[in-house]
Amino acid sequence: MARRKRTAPRVGPSDVDLLAWYDRHRRKLPWRALPGETPDPYRVWLSEIMLQQTTVRAVGPYFARFTARWSDVRALAAAPLDDVLKLWAGLGYYARARNLHACAKAVVERHGGCFPQSQEGLAALPGIGPYTAAAIAAIAFDAPAAAIDGNVERVVARLFAVEEFFPAAKPDIRRLTEGLVPARRAGDFAQALMDLGATICTPKKPACALCPWMGTCAARARGDPETFPLKAPKKEGRLRRGAAFVVIRADGFVLVRSRPPTGLLGGMTEVPTNEWSHDFDVSNALREAPLLPGATPQWLRRPGIVTHVFTHFPLELTVYTAGVGANAPAPAGMRWVALADLPGEALPNLMRKVLAHARVLSG
């Protein structure tokens, strides 16, 4: 699609105006240093990893649990990965947890437990991409870096009325944002932009009258701020379907296994399932049910289905349950977990839904 002309703001936006607004209205967040305090790079890094594709509200309790258990990067690096995955369970996008642990170990092994201060050094660590490197450099070390998340993209797209569809507009947004970053208080400026997008320049019904850049915003001058940023229609992933098998032992144990350490839901705990596919035939589902040594489970198909949406595709699972005798051995590669211990397992949200559907866990 041809690129259209971008409308410039009538007067250049002032970092002084934004910082003055931030000093009055900054959000109080558990990972954010108070005015006058020196930011803790560990807390900044941990929060930025957790906040990827996740809301502030969802992250708060997880951040509190992580910092209570592992107060610094050395403690986290020394923790078993399985413990990290268990504490992360429910937050989603589980590759972040594996990268979090790998990054902590890299900071200890390569940098003596101190996070590098440059964007380049940060970006060389596991799980830290361009945005996260810029955010940590700016917030933790006050480097003049442009930390561009979704909130910042929206603010800048409206401020300059960028008339190019995302994601093609991203290079233009980056250039414009870099031009706004001041030499002083770069960390506060980065957080101010994030706060502005989260509280004032919201996706729907932005509170333009309260915005410190109201007079310089090109989209507001046009009268259509909600139009920006322009986004091309999103392609929906193709539906996959499958079956999940919940086996309960008479003495109060459920059959589980760990997923492969890499890939989708890597290292997380699950009940046995078949391979999810586009052409799944439910009439053949029991052919892929787990084989239990010395037992012949009587499978019961639960009414309804479990639905879940991953980043790239939606999923539907049919759930089967069966009971077996006490002390039945687990098939190779699987294990029994006491029902009372299930909440402490590294169960992804999908598996929590499956177990709730099977009436093993409360929904």
Side-chain angles (χ1 to χ4, degrees):
M1 181 176 292
R3 180 176 176 179
R4 292 179 285 170
K5 185 177 180 180
R6 173 171 49 79
T7 304
R10 290 169 290 173
V11 181
S14 167
D15 60 275
V16 175
D17 291 339
L18 181 63
L19 288 168
W21 171 85
Y22 178 68
D23 289 339
R24 294 191 302 271
H25 302 291
R26 57 187 289 155
R27 290 181 293 173
K28 293 182 180 179
L29 302 173
W31 45 84
R32 180 174 285 178
L34 295 174
E37 288 185 347
T38 300
D40 180 350
Y42 171 70
R43 294 172 72 88
V44 173
W45 161 73
L46 180 61
S47 66
E48 287 297 334
I49 300 299
M50 287 185 165
L51 286 165
Q52 292 171 7
Q53 298 178 294
T54 311
T55 65
V56 166
R57 183 176 180 179
V59 164
Y62 285 88
F63 181 84
R65 288 194 287 269
F66 263 75
T67 52
R69 185 160 182 181
W70 303 299
S71 61
D72 58 32
V73 72
R74 289 185 179 276
L76 181 58
L81 175 59
D82 192 51
D83 287 355
V84 176
L85 290 172
K86 286 179 179 178
L87 217 59
W88 190 278
L91 195 56
Y93 300 98
Y94 296 99
R96 293 180 299 164
R98 298 192 299 274
N99 285 331
L100 185 83
H101 190 250
C103 184
K105 293 175 76 69
V107 169
V108 171
E109 293 168 2
R110 301 180 202 169
H111 302 283
C114 297
F115 283 88
Q117 298 187 20
S118 68
Q119 284 184 254
E120 295 76 15
L122 289 163
L125 294 169
I128 297 184
Y131 159 74
T132 306
I136 298 170
I139 298 170
F141 303 112
D142 212 30
I148 306 171
D149 66 357
N151 282 323
V152 173
E153 286 180 339
R154 183 170 60 258
V155 169
V156 175
R158 289 173 176 173
L159 185 63
F160 293 91
V162 176
E163 296 189 13
E164 187 171 15
F165 283 94
F166 276 70
K170 284 180 177 286
D172 201 19
I173 293 291
R174 171 162 294 282
R175 179 180 60 80
L176 292 167
T177 308
E178 288 173 346
L180 296 172
V181 178
R184 296 181 64 250
R185 295 190 66 187
D188 284 344
F189 184 83
Q191 294 173 103
L193 267 181
M194 296 173 191
D195 281 10
L196 188 67
T199 64
I200 300 295
C201 195
T202 50
K204 302 294 183 183
K205 298 181 180 180
C208 295
L210 302 177
C211 180
W213 281 343
M214 174 179 64
T216 61
C217 180
R220 181 178 182 274
R222 288 171 37 134
D224 60 348
E226 285 192 38
T227 303
F228 300 93
L230 304 179
K231 294 187 178 180
K234 187 177 179 180
K235 295 182 179 179
E236 292 290 336
R238 189 178 173 191
L239 173 67
R240 300 184 195 180
R241 298 165 60 237
F245 304 97
V246 180
V247 186
I248 304 170
R249 215 166 63 178
D251 53 350
F253 285 73
V254 64
L255 186 68
V256 300
R257 65 187 181 189
S258 296
R259 290 182 64 86
T262 59
L264 185 67
L265 304 179
M268 304 300 288
T269 302
E270 67 173 2
V271 300
T273 74
N274 70 331
E275 184 174 351
W276 311 331
S277 64
H278 307 302
D279 55 356
F280 169 73
D281 184 353
V282 70
S283 64
N284 295 324
L286 293 181
R287 295 180 182 178
E288 299 182 70
L291 299 176
L292 283 86
T296 306
Q298 299 299 308
W299 294 104
L300 173 66
R301 179 178 171 181
R302 304 295 304 185
I305 57 173
V306 170
T307 62
H308 192 78
V309 179
F310 291 103
T311 306
H312 301 299
F313 66 91
L315 175 68
E316 294 181 353
L317 289 181
T318 301
V319 177
Y320 292 85
T321 59
V324 295
N327 301 317
M334 303 184 194
R335 66 184 189 278
W336 295 106
V337 172
L339 292 172
D341 294 336
L342 270 180
E345 284 288 320
L347 293 168
N349 284 333
L350 169 62
M351 286 300 132
R352 293 179 185 274
K353 290 181 183 180
V354 168
L355 290 166
H357 193 79
R359 299 183 180 178
V360 173
L361 282 180
S362 58

